[in-house]
Amino acid sequence: MNRYCIWFVTPDDPATRRAEVVLESTIHNHQMLEDIEARVARDCGLSTILITHWQRFEAPPATRAPESTD
């Protein structure tokens, strides 16, 4: 799963809002952005939104187990 932070505006309010989305794939085309816009609008109870920016959350670095001192 890939986590994204998206920033968006609505037609009636130019203030930028932020949402987090989880996708099974990566954002790789315009159709995918339109699908995300529809999903976020529905989830937020809005008629429509326009994504202005997005950024993928990178996986945190793997944690190393402490080395044994035996």
Side-chain angles (χ1 to χ4, degrees):
M1 296 293 208
N2 295 299
R3 291 176 48 224
Y4 286 89
C5 181
I6 63 164
W7 289 265
F8 65 93
V9 296
T10 61
D12 58 337
D13 185 359
T16 301
R17 300 179 192 188
R18 183 171 104 29
E20 294 180 18
V21 295
V22 177
L23 306 173
E24 291 183 19
S25 61
T26 59
I27 296 175
H28 57 274
N29 62 32
H30 187 69
Q31 177 62 43
M32 184 154 242
L33 288 173
E34 290 176 355
D35 292 345
I36 294 168
E37 286 175 342
R39 180 173 128 190
V40 170
R42 182 182 63 245
D43 291 350
C44 294
L46 301 168
S47 59
T48 186
I49 69 162
L50 174 63
I51 294 174
T52 59
H53 181 70
W54 72 90
Q55 181 174 350
R56 184 171 183 245
F57 286 108
E58 298 297 327
T63 56
R64 290 181 42 182
E67 295 182 19
S68 175
T69 57
D70 295 342

